[in-house]
Amino acid sequence: MSSLNQALSVALDRRQSLLAELHAQGTDCYRLFHGSQEGASGLTVDRYGPQLLVQSFHTRLERDALIDLQATVQARLERALLLVYNDRSGSNSRIDRQDSVYQAEDAALQDLVGHEGGLNYRVRGRHAGQDPLLFLDLRNARQWVRQHSAGKRVLNLFAYTCGVGLSAAAGGASEVCNLDFAEGNLAVGRENGALNPQLPPMQFIQSDYFPAIRQMAGLPVTARRAQKLPDYPRLQARQFDLVLLDPPAWAKSAFGTVDLLRDYQSLLKPALLSTAEDGVLICCNNLARVSMDDWREQVLRCASKAGRPVREWQVIQPAEDFPSMDHQPPLKTLVLQF
């Protein structure tokens, strides 16, 4: 047995009880192998419903190793899975068309459906973006939202494909508003909504974060230095009972810069002001180099300065399929209660 298959087998052993629990909950989307923590840095193996998504970020996985990996997973789960391998270790190397095992079967690249907590989510092995359409490490946060959203007005910021919004709708939210800059992301969010026709409809706003959230917070919309103010949707100032702030690590527009390392405060302050007085703000930071303790203190200090001191806070850890040997997972999630 190769060292990779040994590491994979150990990882699957560790997940035995978790997978049984997830399957009982109607979930078939989860991480099977978290290489950076389980013996193969830069390699991830995820299940998305009928699909097995393997991705390498440092070194391309050789053909035989990929075939062995698929066989090991299928034997353990006792089911066939459609293999998609994305090599992301170099520029333009995601898809190697020289060998059929890298190309993936046509069936594996179709629009598929995965499940989380009985909800249906769109799955595509390859699409216009790089990342999967559902971030698995945020599953526990989505579950928290579902359990605490009954009757709440929910704002999902940097909504991506609107998984949090879908969870809020399933939890009985009175209103769900998903905000994202990319229409392609929101289009998948609309697909997710259509895949769950039993849920009430969600709202979708395509906009740069800064003008949208600043209008909601009752703040003036400004442009970055020497930038002309582009067009943007006009929104009313208002507050929500539950707000989720899950920004990317870095992005720049004419309205401002998203920078989780140097300037989380610029993102946080208007989100705080858009949260109702007795509401909840869930904020995320996915930078591995930022420690939870330092970031939490920064967040609490910013809230106090903004006149919104936090009454209680709690941490949502990623589930066991995202192990962290130093107990400092890259994704950090704080629930702030006012």
Side-chain angles (χ1 to χ4, degrees):
M1 180 182 290
S2 69
S3 59
L4 174 57
N5 258 344
Q6 285 182 322
L8 176 61
S9 295
V10 170
L12 294 173
D13 287 340
R14 289 174 178 155
R15 286 163 171 74
Q16 186 172 353
S17 60
L18 173 65
L19 296 188
E21 179 183 343
L22 292 175
H23 293 161
Q25 296 171 358
T27 297
D28 57 16
C29 296
Y30 40 72
R31 176 148 294 181
L32 292 163
F33 186 66
H34 193 53
S36 64
Q37 300 292 309
E38 296 185 289
S41 182
L43 180 67
T44 61
V45 181
D46 298 321
R47 180 186 177 189
Y48 283 95
Q51 181 186 93
L52 181 66
L53 179 63
V54 181
Q55 300 196 96
S56 54
F57 294 82
H58 297 165
T59 305
R60 189 177 76 172
L61 198 61
E62 294 302 322
R63 183 183 192 279
D64 290 346
L66 183 59
I67 293 173
D68 288 347
L69 183 155
Q70 180 186 19
T72 298
V73 169
Q74 291 183 148
R76 184 63 65 93
L77 295 182
E78 298 182 337
R79 68 182 65 240
L81 295 174
L82 297 164
L83 175 65
V84 176
Y85 172 56
N86 292 337
D87 174 26
R88 298 170 61 176
S89 61
S91 60
N92 302 316
S93 64
R94 259 178 88 228
I95 304 172
D96 187 326
R97 303 183 185 279
Q98 301 304 310
D99 191 306
S100 60
V101 72
Y102 296 123
Q103 292 181 33
E105 300 176 16
D106 289 342
L109 300 178
Q110 299 301 310
D111 288 353
L112 303 174
V113 177
H115 309 88
E116 184 178 278
L119 298 177
N120 302 319
Y121 288 87
R122 172 62 68 215
V123 173
R124 291 187 180 94
R126 293 178 186 146
H127 54 94
Q130 287 274 357
D131 294 318
L133 298 181
L134 184 67
F135 289 126
L136 301 177
D137 56 353
L138 200 63
R139 184 175 62 247
N140 279 356
R142 287 190 290 269
Q143 183 180 23
W144 194 98
V145 168
R146 186 170 181 173
Q147 293 170 345
H148 294 85
S149 56
K152 304 289 181 63
R153 300 162 297 169
V154 177
L155 176 61
N156 183 19
L157 300 167
F158 297 100
Y160 191 45
T161 57
C162 310
V164 168
L166 197 70
S167 298
S174 62
E175 178 185 1
V176 177
C177 182
N178 297 291
L179 172 72
D180 199 272
F181 176 73
E183 174 55 36
N185 292 343
L186 295 179
V188 178
R190 292 186 181 92
E191 288 186 61
N192 286 334
L195 288 170
N196 296 273
Q198 76 281 11
L199 300 182
M202 300 183 289
Q203 300 174 35
F204 303 89
I205 300 176
Q206 181 189 2
S207 174
D208 185 286
Y209 172 76
F210 290 105
I213 195 64
R214 291 185 69 84
Q215 288 179 90
M216 291 179 182
L219 300 172
V221 176
T222 58
R224 288 175 51 241
R225 183 182 302 176
Q227 294 281 330
K228 180 181 179 181
L229 202 63
D231 290 335
Y232 57 89
R234 266 47 178 186
L235 304 172
Q236 295 295 319
R238 58 171 306 190
Q239 292 186 321
F240 293 81
D241 305 304
L242 194 159
V243 177
L244 183 124
L245 174 64
D246 184 19
W250 192 90
K252 181 183 286 188
S253 76
F255 297 99
T257 300
V258 175
D259 188 341
L260 301 198
L261 180 63
R262 299 173 184 84
D263 192 14
Y264 199 93
Q265 298 92 319
S266 293
L267 307 172
L268 184 60
K269 180 180 177 181
L272 286 163
L273 298 178
S274 299
T275 306
E277 292 293 330
D278 57 350
V280 173
L281 172 61
I282 305 173
C283 44
C284 303
N285 189 320
N286 59 25
L287 281 183
R289 72 185 82 174
V290 174
S291 77
M292 170 59 86
D293 290 344
D294 290 344
W295 178 62
R296 182 184 64 244
E297 291 308 310
Q298 180 188 82
V299 166
L300 296 178
R301 187 167 57 249
C302 180
S304 294
K305 287 184 177 180
R308 301 300 312 278
V310 175
R311 178 170 52 85
E312 295 180 16
W313 59 266
Q314 71 178 90
V315 175
I316 300 178
Q317 296 282 2
E320 297 170 40
D321 49 337
F322 284 83
S324 175
M325 302 311 174
D326 62 358
H327 305 291
Q328 294 286 335
L331 176 63
K332 292 159 285 290
T333 304
L334 272 174
V335 179
L336 311 178
Q337 302 192 19
F338 302 99

